Amino acid sequence: MVRTKVEIKRIEDKAKRHTTFTKRRQGLFKKAKELTKRCDAQAAVITFSLAGNIFAFGHPSVDDVVNRYIAATSAADVDEETVKKGKDAAIETKDDEETRSFEVQLKDMSMEEVEELNVALMEMKKKVVDRINGIISSSKDEDLGLP
């Protein structure tokens, strides 16, 4: 039995499009679940239907995976900003082959410096959230075939 190649294009019939979305979403979540079990990986998949409904799968949870992503990308932003400031901030980086961690010496910081650090971290979090929203928006536009 030979599989025929299906042309990837937008399904015009709304009922067929909904059915296809439901089946493919379930298949996508099944593949993500299989990946997490076989490879001991953490994964999150978030989809939005045309009606605006949100469907998500995550192992161990979507929140855990997204928070880990935000922390990792925020840490990279902190490192770049620290290098730009000539390492005047009280953030030290430790590089290993496997991990990268940050230590913040709060005990050596004044209240003003702690507040500045808090503002900087909140700005980084906003940038990450904006980036995620941009990725979601652009992928949504591509899926719909919009400009």
Side-chain angles (χ1 to χ4, degrees):
M1 189 157 129
V2 178
R3 286 188 165 180
T4 59
K5 188 171 182 173
V6 177
E7 182 183 353
I8 304 297
K9 63 179 182 177
R10 186 171 193 271
I11 300 170
E12 296 302 324
D13 183 6
K14 193 172 184 177
K16 287 181 181 179
R17 187 169 54 238
H18 176 71
T19 302
T20 301
F21 173 79
T22 301
K23 288 180 179 180
R24 293 210 174 220
R25 183 190 76 234
Q26 291 170 347
L28 179 63
F29 289 175
K30 185 177 179 181
K31 290 290 187 183
K33 183 178 181 181
E34 181 181 319
L35 176 68
T36 61
K37 283 187 175 185
R38 287 181 172 231
C39 302
D40 196 27
Q42 293 185 357
V45 178
I46 303 170
T47 60
F48 295 85
S49 70
L50 289 175
N53 298 325
I54 301 171
F55 301 93
F57 166 83
H59 177 75
S61 74
V62 174
D63 288 338
D64 288 344
V65 176
V66 170
N67 288 336
R68 184 174 176 190
Y69 173 79
I70 290 171
T73 56
S74 294
D77 288 345
V78 168
D79 187 37
E80 290 173 15
E81 289 178 16
T82 302
V83 170
K84 287 178 185 175
K85 291 180 182 178
K87 297 188 178 181
D88 289 337
I91 300 174
E92 300 174 8
T93 61
K94 291 185 175 182
D95 290 323
D96 281 348
E97 290 178 12
E98 298 178 20
T99 63
R100 181 179 222 170
S101 64
F102 294 88
E103 292 181 14
V104 179
Q105 304 293 332
L106 293 177
K107 65 182 180 183
D108 297 334
M109 296 175 77
S110 69
M111 188 58 151
E112 183 178 310
E113 291 172 322
V114 171
E115 290 173 358
E116 287 176 10
L117 179 62
N118 185 40
V119 168
L121 290 173
M122 295 304 286
E123 287 176 11
M124 285 185 280
K125 182 178 179 182
K126 184 183 181 308
K127 287 179 185 178
V128 170
V129 169
D130 290 345
R131 182 173 174 199
I132 290 170
N133 289 336
I135 292 168
I136 290 170
S137 295
S138 66
S139 67
K140 195 175 187 182
D141 291 345
E142 289 172 10
D143 291 341
L144 298 175
L146 300 174

